[in-house]
Amino acid sequence: MAEHRSMQRAALLDAARSLLSEGGTEALTFPALAERTGLARSSVYEYFRSRAAVVEELCEVDFPVWAAEVEAAMAKAEGTDAKVEAYVRKQLELVGDRRHRAVVAISASELDAGAREKIRAAHGGLITMIVEALEELGHDQPRLAAMLLQGVVDAAVRRLELGAAEDPRTITDAAVSMALRGVRA
């Protein structure tokens, strides 16, 4: 029984990812979750008390996976510049990933304080990774530089999400170039 429940919960989370990546947070409704999973709407409520609860659980499940991929890319990189580049490139590469699209939709949405706190904590983990690289570089304000660098990444993510006129590679290369010039300044 417990295994069946955990499979249904996983199916609900997967349906939530799809809905978020297709239509943003407006698309994430309990009737839509019920339809995608073949569960009765009342059953969806047995797993999650609210949309925010679905979002919180997605954050707990998906953000660490995403952060681990960024961390792995940085760990493979030789030297500070390469680490900064890996930090930017990996996040932008993940934009096409369904989990990441869900994370972006979540980040952009109106959420309750608990979900926002979980997102902040997860983003904090990403920021910490880049702060360490900037400290190695001898940056005099590594935390501030890291926050601004993440701002460049977030702007590039939004540009990619919009399906902007520029080629995705152009957006990524511009973000990398701006990041590297910015952290050296």
Side-chain angles (χ1 to χ4, degrees):
M1 183 69 184
E3 189 178 321
H4 179 68
R5 282 190 65 81
S6 92
M7 279 173 59
Q8 285 192 325
R9 189 175 206 91
L12 283 164
L13 288 174
D14 206 46
R17 279 183 201 100
S18 295
L19 291 164
L20 283 164
S21 65
E22 289 160 19
T25 45
E26 300 78 50
L28 180 60
T29 64
F30 279 30
L33 283 171
E35 190 180 317
R36 287 279 166 111
T37 55
L39 292 168
R41 198 184 312 183
S42 57
S43 297
V44 177
Y45 283 99
E46 287 174 30
Y47 292 91
F48 299 104
R49 67 190 181 288
S50 65
R51 280 179 1 148
V54 177
V55 165
E56 274 186 54
E57 188 150 333
L58 273 177
C59 291
E60 281 177 40
V61 173
D62 291 356
F63 257 109
V65 174
W66 186 52
E69 289 186 40
V70 174
E71 191 169 19
M74 286 178 73
K76 277 190 237 148
E78 296 286 323
T80 311
D81 277 8
K83 284 187 189 314
V84 169
E85 180 165 349
Y87 179 81
V88 175
R89 276 193 195 282
K90 190 63 183 179
Q91 286 189 68
L92 298 180
E93 182 187 306
L94 289 169
V95 172
D97 181 298
R98 222 160 45 93
R99 272 181 333 221
H100 180 259
R101 284 208 302 275
V103 162
V104 170
I106 289 165
S107 301
S109 69
E110 291 302 306
L111 297 174
D112 68 21
R116 272 201 310 275
E117 198 40 58
K118 285 198 170 69
I119 289 172
R120 257 198 301 280
H123 270 299
L126 278 178
I127 298 291
T128 302
M129 286 181 227
I130 200 67
V131 167
E132 288 165 9
L134 295 173
E135 282 170 346
E136 280 172 36
L137 223 160
H139 213 285
D140 58 343
Q141 289 189 295
R143 184 134 190 96
L144 174 61
M147 299 300 274
L148 295 174
L149 172 59
Q150 186 59 44
V152 168
V153 173
D154 293 343
V157 165
R158 279 192 300 278
R159 196 92 192 130
L160 290 166
E161 286 286 314
L162 286 170
E166 305 89 3
D167 179 74
R169 280 187 310 259
T170 304
I171 295 170
T172 300
D173 291 346
V176 167
S177 167
M178 196 170 277
L180 289 172
R181 281 202 307 271
V183 297
R184 285 193 204 114

